[in-house]
């Protein structure tokens, strides 16, 4: 059996991969098992923002793996402190709790918000509520899917965790109406990724900040996908000159080689955790901390945030100039765009399959949106080449759609 047959036969069917077997990656390029080269236009949902096999990150990984990898947090280690200090410096927040995956860091934020609600705000026991946005994506644990509004993520997995209420994304008045004295936090993505790169109205985050301040509610931002340069700023909240009370990071924090996530917050929020109240065997291990710190250093030293802003403006300008009937909408910020395909002409899946044939890798989200989110290190020429292929695919689809209609 070949690699595709083996994976299909022995894996759970919780993914539906495109028909390509990847074997190697470097920078913004990936190669299949036969040696064909592709331009990566999705960066593993931002986990590969630094590009594949970044030499500095590999060097940090290798050197640290040989020194000390997983000593457990039963002891201090000489890598964790510098990593957490850098996270606090970058965010302007005061303390960080390291985890591994994004969903675990979201769970950490939920626990922090609830305990803060009871112990600091004085909400009655077990009554705390967290407001979330419809269309949200915060991961796949049972508590996190409890407040998903997407039936694909929830169906058959109940009973669900109570204590969440969802309001329409981008709607400030709805947040104001939903807040009660039992509201502990508002938890949102600044731009919704999995929902289809949905950019909220300008002023929405600032408005949320004001509403939260006026009602003594925590503002917690999930920047697992939007953070660390993806939107052309270190963090998407900087676009509106605000600061959250809690921030969730992941994906790119692992430099494309390890799962590294963190919940970063004010001292007041973080101090609700006491010894034994929360933890993770692998969270904050020396290897993850060394890689995480180098991931942050590379973003700064290689000016990847500035690159994302500049190339992102270029990408969005080019996409906006595409005049194809198949392209219903284009939106995004930084090197992160969603291209919405008219479902009467093609599915986003079909677009991704055709892109694959031309040497461009991307993945649809929600049947109608093609995500365009290359590694932040991508060369302008490679980006333009990939966008040219996208335009070709749109041309072909319109041609075949026109022929189908005529027939
Ligand atoms: C991917 C993602 C998560 C979950 O991260 P995992 O590492 O897959 O658990 C959470 N929030 C957002 C916004 C994400 O994009």
């Amino acid at each position: 059996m070949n690699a595709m047959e083996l994976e299909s036969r022995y894996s759970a069917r919780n993914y539906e991969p495109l028909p390509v077997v990847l074997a190697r990656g470097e920078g913004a390029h990936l190669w299949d098992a036969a040696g064909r080269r592709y331009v990566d236009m999705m960066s593993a949902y931002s986990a590969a923002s630094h590009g594949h096999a970044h030499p500095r990150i590999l060097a940090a990984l290798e050197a640290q793996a040989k020194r000390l990898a997983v000593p457990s947090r039963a002891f201090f280690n000489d890598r964790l402190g510098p990593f957490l200090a850098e996270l606090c410096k970058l965010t302007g927040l005061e303390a960080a709790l390291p985890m591994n995956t994004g969903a675990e860091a979201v769970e950490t934020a939920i626990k922090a918000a609830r305990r803060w609600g009871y112990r600091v705000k004085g909400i009655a026991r077990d009554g705390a509520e967290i407001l979330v946005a419809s269309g949200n994506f915060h991961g796949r644990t049972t508590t996190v899917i409890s407040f998903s509004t997407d039936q694909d993520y929830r169906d058959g997995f109940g009973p669900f965790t109570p204590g969440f209420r969802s309001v329409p994304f981008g709607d400030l008045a709805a947040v104001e109406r939903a807040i009660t004295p039992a509201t502990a936090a508002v938890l949102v993505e600044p731009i919704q990724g999995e929902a289809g790169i949905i950019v909220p109205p300008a002023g929405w985050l600032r408005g949320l900040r004001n509403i939260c301040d006026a009602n003594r509610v925590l503002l917690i931002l999930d920047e697992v996908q939007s953070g660390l340069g993806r939107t052309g700023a270190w963090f998407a909240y900087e676009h509106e000159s605000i600061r959250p009370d809690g921030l969730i990071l992941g994906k790119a924090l692992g430099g494309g080689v390890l799962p590294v996530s963190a919940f970063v917050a004010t001292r007041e929020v973080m101090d609700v955790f006491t010894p034994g109240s929360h933890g993770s065997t692998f969270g904050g291990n020396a290897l993850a901390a060394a890689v995480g710190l180098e991931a942050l250093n590379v973003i700064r030293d290689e000016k990847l945030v500035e690159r994302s802003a500049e190339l992102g403006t270029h990408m969005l300008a080019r996409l906006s100039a595409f005049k194809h009937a198949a392209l219903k909408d284009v939106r995004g910020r930084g090197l992160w765009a969603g291209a919405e395909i008219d479902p009467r002409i093609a599915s986003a899946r079909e677009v991704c399959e055709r892109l694959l044939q031309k040497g461009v890798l991307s993945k649809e989200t929600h049947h109608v949106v093609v995500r365009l989110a290359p590694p932040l290190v991508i060369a302008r020429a490679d980006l333009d080449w990939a966008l040219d292929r996208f335009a070709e695919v749109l041309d072909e689809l319109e041609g075949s759609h026109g022929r189908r209609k005529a027939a």
Side-chain angles (χ1 to χ4, degrees):
M1 277 192 278
N2 67 30
M4 269 191 245
E5 288 163 350
L6 269 173
E7 195 172 309
S8 302
R9 167 141 178 207
Y10 290 106
S11 77
R13 304 199 207 290
N14 58 330
Y15 281 89
E16 192 186 8
L18 287 161
V20 60
V21 180
L22 297 176
R24 189 164 79 83
E26 196 183 315
H29 291 116
L30 290 160
W31 283 262
D32 68 15
R36 179 168 183 212
R37 193 178 84 163
Y38 300 81
V39 172
D40 181 4
M41 286 295 282
M42 89 167 261
S43 342
Y45 309 91
S46 280
S49 279
H50 298 77
H52 302 276
H54 193 289
R56 276 182 61 182
I57 289 167
L58 291 189
L61 177 78
E62 190 184 354
Q64 188 59 40
K66 289 176 176 163
R67 285 179 75 230
L68 177 67
V70 184
S72 129
R73 292 208 52 203
F75 315 102
F76 289 92
N77 74 66
D78 65 354
R79 294 294 159 197
L80 183 55
F83 172 49
L84 301 184
E86 187 62 25
L87 276 176
C88 290
K89 196 174 122 202
L90 278 171
T91 56
L93 292 164
E94 293 161 321
L97 198 164
M99 298 296 279
N100 313 285
T101 64
E104 287 173 301
V106 173
E107 292 273 353
T108 304
I110 292 167
K111 282 184 170 180
R114 286 178 166 184
R115 214 181 231 202
W116 177 89
Y118 304 127
R119 296 192 175 178
V120 180
K121 185 170 175 176
I123 297 170
R125 187 191 170 94
D126 289 349
E129 264 199 348
I130 295 175
L131 299 185
V132 298
S134 52
N136 70 74
F137 183 84
H138 299 283
R140 304 289 198 162
T141 63
T142 29
T143 286
V144 168
I145 60 161
S146 293
F147 55 92
S148 172
T149 55
D150 187 322
Q151 276 317 310
D152 285 348
Y153 302 157
R154 291 165 54 92
D155 196 31
F157 298 135
F160 298 109
T161 309
F164 301 94
R165 191 193 296 205
S166 81
V167 296
F169 182 67
D171 185 342
L172 287 175
V175 172
E176 242 166 344
R177 280 195 303 274
I179 284 182
T180 73
T183 308
V186 171
L187 165 64
V188 291
E189 301 154 85
I191 290 177
Q192 288 189 329
E194 295 314 293
I197 328 295
I198 310 293
V199 182
W204 175 70
L205 271 186
R206 168 139 291 284
L208 278 183
R209 180 70 276 176
N210 292 339
I211 293 172
C212 286
D213 287 342
N215 292 279
R216 208 170 176 222
V217 167
L218 300 176
L219 177 60
I220 298 179
L221 297 181
D222 180 348
E223 295 229 29
V224 168
Q225 200 166 157
S226 62
L228 303 176
R230 179 54 59 188
T231 70
W234 270 94
F235 307 104
Y237 62 77
E238 293 172 73
H239 293 301
E240 299 209 343
S241 309
I242 61 142
R243 186 174 297 157
D245 305 294
L247 175 68
I248 304 161
L249 297 175
K251 291 190 171 134
L253 195 55
V257 296
L258 287 179
V260 183
S261 68
F263 174 60
V264 195
T266 61
R267 197 23 95 185
E268 180 186 278
V269 171
M270 200 61 88
D271 277 352
V272 302
F273 289 117
T274 46
S277 62
H278 191 51
S280 158
T281 303
F282 285 94
N285 72 71
L287 184 60
V291 165
L293 180 58
E294 193 66 352
L296 297 173
N297 288 338
V298 166
I299 294 174
R300 189 186 46 246
D301 296 347
E302 297 191 356
K303 298 200 165 24
L304 296 185
V305 177
E306 295 81 351
R307 242 189 119 70
S308 173
E310 193 187 311
L311 288 180
T313 302
H314 171 67
M315 175 166 79
L316 208 57
R318 279 206 60 191
L319 289 169
S320 303
F322 283 7
K323 296 281 177 266
H324 295 85
L327 194 57
K328 265 182 78 177
D329 187 35
V330 176
R331 64 238 169 191
R333 191 137 204 196
L335 273 175
W336 199 24
E340 190 168 332
I341 307 299
D342 186 337
R344 292 168 305 180
I345 297 182
S347 66
R349 173 83 184 189
E350 183 177 352
V351 173
C352 291
E353 282 166 357
R354 285 175 182 252
L355 283 172
L356 168 67
Q357 285 165 17
K358 291 180 185 292
V360 175
L361 297 180
S362 187
K363 184 76 170 72
E364 80 279 6
T365 177
H366 284 260
H367 309 299
V368 291
V369 179
V370 176
R371 74 178 86 219
L372 299 164
L376 307 184
V377 298
I378 192 170
R380 193 185 178 99
D382 287 326
L383 176 62
D384 278 327
W385 184 85
L387 294 175
D388 289 343
R389 302 291 80 72
F390 184 49
E392 273 174 22
V393 167
L394 295 174
D395 281 338
E396 290 169 11
L397 286 170
E398 273 162 34
S400 62
H401 179 66
R403 280 194 299 279
R404 275 202 297 266
K405 265 205 318 208

